[in-house]
Amino acid sequence: MATFDLNDDSVVVIIGTGAGGGVLANELAQKGVKVVALEAGGRYLPEDYINDEWESFGQLAWLDARTTSGDWRVAKDFSGLPAWIVKAVGGTTTHWAGASLRFQDHEWKALSNYGAVEGANLLDWPIDGAEMAPWYEKAETKLGVTRTGDRAGLPGNNNYLVFEKGAKALGYTEVHTGRMAINSADYDGRLACQQTGFCFQGCKWGAKWSAAYTDIPAGEATGNLEVRDRSHVAKILHDESGKVTAVEYFDKDGVKQTQKARIVCVAGNTIESPRLLLNSASEMFPNGLANSSDQVGRNYMRHVTGSVYAVFDKPVKMWRGTTMAGIMQDEAIHKPDRGFVGGYELETLALGLPFMAAFLNPGGWGRSFTTALDSYENMAGMWIVGEDMPQTTNRITLHPEQKDQFGLAIPNVHFDDHPNDIAMRNHAYQQGIAMYEAVGATRAFPTPPYPSTHNLGTNRMSERPEDGVCNKWGQTHDIANLFISDGSQFTTGAAENPTLTIVALAIRQADHIAKEMAAGTI
Amino acid sequence: MTKHDLRGLTRRQLLSRGMAAGTLAITGAGFIAAPNAAWALEVAVISPEQMATLLQMARDIYPHDKVPDQYYAVAVKGYDAEDRKDMVAAGIAELDSAAKAMGHASYLAAGWEEDRVKVLQSIETGPFFQTVRSGLVTGLYNQKEVWPIFGYQGESFSQGGYIERGFNDIYWL
Ligand SMILES: Cc1cc2nc3c(=O)[nH]c(=O)nc-3n(C[C@H](O)[C@H](O)[C@H](O)COP(=O)(O)OP(=O)(O)OC[C@H]3O[C@@H](n4cnc5c(N)ncnc54)[C@H](O)[C@@H]3O)c2cc1C
Ligand code: SF4
């Protein structure tokens, strides 16, 4: 493994090693670019993962202080935990379920295709499906996505079989076990899925793709990548010309260090990335770095989500097998006569008993709640993931007083549901419940959203510098050697789970950065 | 040894009801125990009556008739601590006065779950109720020992997952 000097100003510094940062680090290293990746979390590998929901959460989750505001229910139920994100080498790809879907063509151009929506700050992406197709293919090959290339689908578990029967009973046709970054057969030196059912807690078999045990070690093996774990970046520094020159971070021992850099790529996930840019404000950039548009931290998106659980008179045992391998895509279309723009996917989802108790109806108690759990064995579950509306007032800001363990201002996450979000969620609840009723559900539960797992949009891509933070390469409009490399660059969220797109964008960005470095333009 | 029963039932009536809801006995100064001696909980700081109240609260907040008292006792035993005893005393005083306002001698003296639930509803937005309730979410449901009662099987890695053990064994569809 390489080590680079703190004063080496030829390196690319990447902040965060998740879906965006972890992939970018490896891709650059493969091309011979020298990379220092700074990761706030520690290193955990499959042998370290714990198949116990709360223990695993304690091991991996990002638990630094955050505050919330707005009318979303998360602010009431989980006021200090707006998002469910991982702090570890590999980032949230340790926790993720593996659902890997391409955007649909129309979703790249939400403003053009949906028209202006009141209260929404819709915008077209500066790229489209044709541009992204080859990068998606590379991403699918890297992740080993099932039902793409020549890779077979996963077998359906009990939860899926209930879901499929209900969907087909309603006449839905786009129903299958998903395009999953989970091996249906041994692939890329990793095992096939053993149907253990703790995909959210880190796959102990390595059957699910995670940057932690694929891209990170592959990058390190090139001798071009140094990953410094337990290194929390506090600030990005710049010179008088406005170019970024270094980052300040707190190392394993809490000691402040400064790493010089030729290029800095921010990939701390959608809450931490804008927080870092805002916390890096200087005399020259009093509103934070790359923020001449005033869009840093704004347009925070989290997908329209929610779950439907239902109980039956006989056992389902939904916890057995893959957590999310099942999808119904017929509603993922743009069909405004449903009362909203954009579409949504329904995907199978199972929680263990401890998480079910916490998330089924947060704050709920008494027999209405406990009789639902009494039927846990007979329960099936699904998750809604739909396109939500970017709104300028849904945003990450710095808390005026509260500081974290390093003395840095903590983020506040403000979110109000847009009427389009509410209409879509209600439609999805109704369809999900109908699916389960079609298979004989005796009771159904429209379960509110969990802390956000898909965090997007707070440093968005835009054609024009005044509309967003970065250009179509993720390069910030204001600072040529500062890049956005994670889900925060999403212009709009589309109906699909975001990670395949984050990975495809990272592969594409690596290609661009390496070319520009070779050409000497950055 | 003094024996208190909970709701004006005699000790014999209590015993005859076995492990049904709320049938624990406060046994002497420092203990509460199940009438059938299946378990006992020693209290060091708070009183046995206070612990009995907490236990009943836990049962009424998350009532599962198939889950024996001992698991609820484990979930609330952390309140028997120096730094929580004032909170417990104040909370239970509030609870009992809410019960009195509804015509019961105390919270525990209200015989029907429905009546006790009404008392709880009257304090449910307060910090005492919220602390007890949210503590139970992990305190009760995260006990590995209660999982089998709900059919939940916990980790399966050590047994090779469900690939050959019924991940798709649904029989009734
Ligand atoms: C339970 C769960 C299930 C999910 N399932 C799916 C799914 O099926 N499909 C899908 O597409 N997506 C899924 N997701 C979402 C997916 O995990 C994220 O979209 C994706 O990982 C985001 O990538 P990222 O690069 O933006 O951030 P992350 O992967 O979160 O990586 C960010 C990294 O940056 C680090 N970091 C942050 N700030 C700093 C700092 N200041 N200094 C140093 N390091 C820092 C963090 O510790 C973290 O490791 C799921 C998420 C969760 C929680
Ligand atoms: S179900 Fe499959 S993918 Fe999920 S954790 Fe188990 S082996 Fe890994």
Side-chain angles (χ1 to χ4, degrees):
Chain A
M1 204 203 321
T3 50
F4 296 105
D5 195 89
L6 289 171
N7 289 314
D8 187 341
D9 59 5
S10 71
V11 298
V12 173
V13 167
I14 300 176
I15 302 159
T17 58
V23 168
L24 178 66
N26 178 31
E27 292 287 321
L28 285 173
Q30 298 295 337
K31 294 176 194 297
V33 176
K34 308 255 176 274
V35 177
V36 173
L38 300 170
E39 167 54 56
R43 273 186 196 255
Y44 306 91
L45 290 169
E47 60 268 28
D48 306 316
Y49 299 149
I50 307 166
N51 281 183
D52 174 295
E53 290 177 314
W54 284 118
E55 237 188 288
S56 169
F57 187 79
Q59 179 190 41
L60 297 171
W62 183 283
L63 298 171
D64 292 11
R66 288 171 170 165
T67 56
T68 47
S69 56
D71 71 10
W72 57 327
R73 194 166 151 183
V74 169
K76 171 171 160 272
D77 296 334
F78 306 98
S79 59
L81 190 77
W84 180 0
I85 299 178
V86 171
K87 185 196 259 195
V89 173
T92 316
T93 67
T94 47
H95 258 14
W96 81 313
S100 300
L101 304 170
R102 296 185 182 200
F103 278 26
Q104 304 165 74
D105 282 345
H106 70 269
E107 292 171 328
W108 294 104
K109 305 290 169 191
L111 179 58
S112 300
N113 290 317
Y114 305 162
V117 174
E118 201 185 323
N121 190 20
L122 278 176
L123 188 68
D124 290 348
W125 286 68
I127 49 180
D128 60 19
E131 158 87 33
M132 287 305 291
W135 305 105
Y136 268 139
E137 202 186 318
K138 285 188 206 297
E140 286 164 348
T141 306
K142 178 191 283 289
L143 273 53
V145 179
T146 58
R147 281 198 179 77
T148 70
D150 54 5
R151 290 168 288 268
L154 287 160
N157 67 352
N158 290 331
N159 198 31
Y160 172 72
L161 294 169
V162 174
F163 176 94
E164 176 190 64
K165 188 150 188 210
K168 292 198 166 154
L170 294 197
Y172 289 134
T173 56
E174 296 296 306
V175 188
H176 54 75
T177 57
R179 287 187 244 290
M180 304 297 295
I182 293 180
N183 292 346
S184 53
D186 294 5
Y187 181 79
D188 198 22
R190 293 180 290 111
L191 271 183
C193 172
Q194 304 298 303
Q195 302 285 344
T196 46
F198 280 85
C199 308
F200 280 0
Q201 281 67 40
C203 179
K204 288 188 77 67
W205 303 96
K208 178 187 81 177
W209 177 85
S210 165
Y213 44 81
T214 57
D215 281 70
I216 300 287
E220 287 173 332
T222 64
N224 295 322
L225 169 62
E226 179 186 354
V227 176
R228 288 182 208 151
D229 64 338
R230 297 184 195 278
S231 297
H232 187 112
V233 178
K235 195 171 181 178
I236 302 170
L237 308 178
H238 64 83
D239 60 18
E240 7 9 311
S241 78
K243 276 178 60 176
V244 296
T245 52
V247 303
E248 268 177 20
Y249 69 96
F250 291 92
D251 72 9
K252 275 189 166 70
D253 306 313
V255 178
K256 200 193 249 185
Q257 306 284 2
T258 304
Q259 172 67 54
K260 292 201 170 144
R262 174 168 169 187
I263 293 173
V264 173
C265 300
V266 184
N269 203 323
T270 287
I271 298 175
E272 292 309 310
S273 290
R275 175 191 178 210
L276 181 59
L277 296 180
L278 295 172
N279 265 331
S280 300
S282 63
E283 225 165 88
M284 187 170 180
F285 300 116
N287 299 323
L289 293 190
N291 198 18
S292 65
S293 63
D294 191 32
Q295 295 295 306
V296 169
R298 294 188 187 271
N299 310 305
Y300 170 63
M301 295 175 288
R302 59 181 312 273
H303 272 140
V304 169
T305 69
S307 307
V308 177
Y309 293 96
V311 294
F312 298 83
D313 58 344
K314 297 193 191 67
V316 177
K317 302 183 198 278
M318 66 169 167
W319 64 88
R320 293 184 175 181
T322 43
T323 302
M324 196 172 259
I327 194 165
M328 188 285 285
Q329 302 196 276
D330 296 63
E331 300 284 3
I333 49 174
H334 173 55
K335 190 166 153 252
D337 64 8
R338 290 174 299 180
F340 52 88
V341 301
Y344 64 87
E345 323 264 354
L346 295 180
E347 299 172 352
T348 55
L349 173 66
L351 297 180
L353 183 77
F355 272 12
M356 191 57 76
F359 294 127
L360 177 66
N361 182 15
W365 60 279
R367 294 238 168 222
S368 152
F369 179 80
T370 55
T371 51
L373 290 182
D374 284 335
S375 294
Y376 175 74
E377 201 174 359
N378 296 5
M379 202 179 264
M382 68 170 83
W383 195 55
I384 301 159
V385 47
E387 178 159 11
D388 62 342
M389 290 294 108
Q391 300 181 66
T392 53
T393 48
N394 285 349
R395 65 189 288 208
I396 314 304
T397 50
L398 298 179
H399 196 282
E401 292 111 37
Q402 282 193 56
K403 307 274 188 262
D404 71 4
Q405 63 272 35
F406 302 112
L408 307 167
I410 67 164
N412 181 67
V413 181
H414 180 95
F415 190 91
D416 298 312
D417 281 312
H418 187 278
N420 197 76
D421 304 346
I422 295 169
M424 182 186 289
R425 180 179 297 119
N426 287 338
H427 191 273
Y429 278 147
Q430 177 195 309
Q431 295 311 106
I433 290 171
M435 274 170 59
Y436 283 142
E437 283 178 344
V439 217
T442 51
R443 205 170 146 201
F445 312 96
T447 292
Y450 315 130
S452 315
T453 55
H454 298 176
N455 297 277
L456 304 166
T458 51
N459 293 307
R460 72 179 185 178
M461 261 190 200
S462 64
E463 187 70 54
R464 302 185 317 157
E466 54 269 42
D467 294 332
V469 178
C470 60
N471 68 15
K472 67 175 184 170
W473 304 107
Q475 182 179 34
T476 61
H477 290 299
D478 297 354
I479 302 175
N481 65 340
L482 177 63
F483 284 77
I484 310 296
S485 312
D486 59 7
S488 68
Q489 64 189 312
F490 277 37
T491 310
T492 53
E496 289 74 24
N497 313 56
T499 305
L500 183 75
T501 303
I502 296 174
V503 169
L505 288 170
I507 300 172
R508 177 172 167 275
Q509 188 179 71
D511 192 65
H512 177 76
I513 290 177
K515 277 187 189 141
E516 296 297 311
M517 284 176 83
T521 49
I522 34 176
Chain B
M1 210 155 83
T2 46
K3 293 190 175 77
H4 307 259
D5 64 41
L6 292 178
R7 303 180 199 153
L9 299 175
T10 65
R11 165 107 178 126
R12 234 183 58 194
Q13 280 170 312
L14 260 175
L15 278 170
S16 71
R17 285 178 39 176
M19 288 293 283
T23 60
L24 76 164
I26 296 165
T27 324
F31 282 94
I32 61 172
N36 65 358
W39 60 275
L41 183 64
E42 196 175 357
V43 283
V45 180
I46 67 171
S47 73
E49 289 79 4
Q50 286 173 326
M51 185 49 86
T53 303
L54 286 171
L55 201 124
Q56 188 62 56
M57 253 186 103
R59 285 219 79 103
D60 291 337
I61 293 172
Y62 291 122
H64 294 286
D65 298 341
K66 288 191 283 184
V67 177
D69 275 348
Q70 67 202 77
Y71 301 112
Y72 289 92
V74 168
V76 294
K77 76 173 192 295
Y79 293 103
D80 180 36
E82 211 42 64
D83 60 346
R84 304 181 92 172
K85 69 171 200 238
D86 294 343
M87 184 276 276
V88 168
I92 291 179
E94 180 201 9
L95 181 68
D96 281 335
S97 78
K100 287 197 179 92
M102 293 185 189
H104 310 290
S106 68
Y107 170 70
L108 282 178
W112 286 92
E113 181 182 307
E114 260 167 68
D115 291 331
R116 292 190 305 274
V117 163
K118 283 190 193 121
V119 176
L120 291 174
Q121 278 165 345
S122 75
I123 65 155
E124 76 174 315
T125 53
F128 175 61
F129 179 90
Q130 283 307 329
T131 303
V132 174
R133 188 203 61 73
S134 62
L136 283 168
V137 174
T138 45
L140 179 62
Y141 298 107
N142 206 32
Q143 291 178 52
K144 287 193 170 62
E145 298 72 21
V146 310
W147 296 349
I149 302 172
F150 293 89
Y152 179 52
Q153 294 173 288
E155 71 85 29
S156 72
F157 176 73
S158 63
Q159 298 169 76
Y162 293 105
I163 185 114
E164 280 158 10
R165 297 188 317 119
F167 77 101
N168 58 359
D169 66 355
I170 196 160
Y171 60 85
W172 52 267
L173 267 179

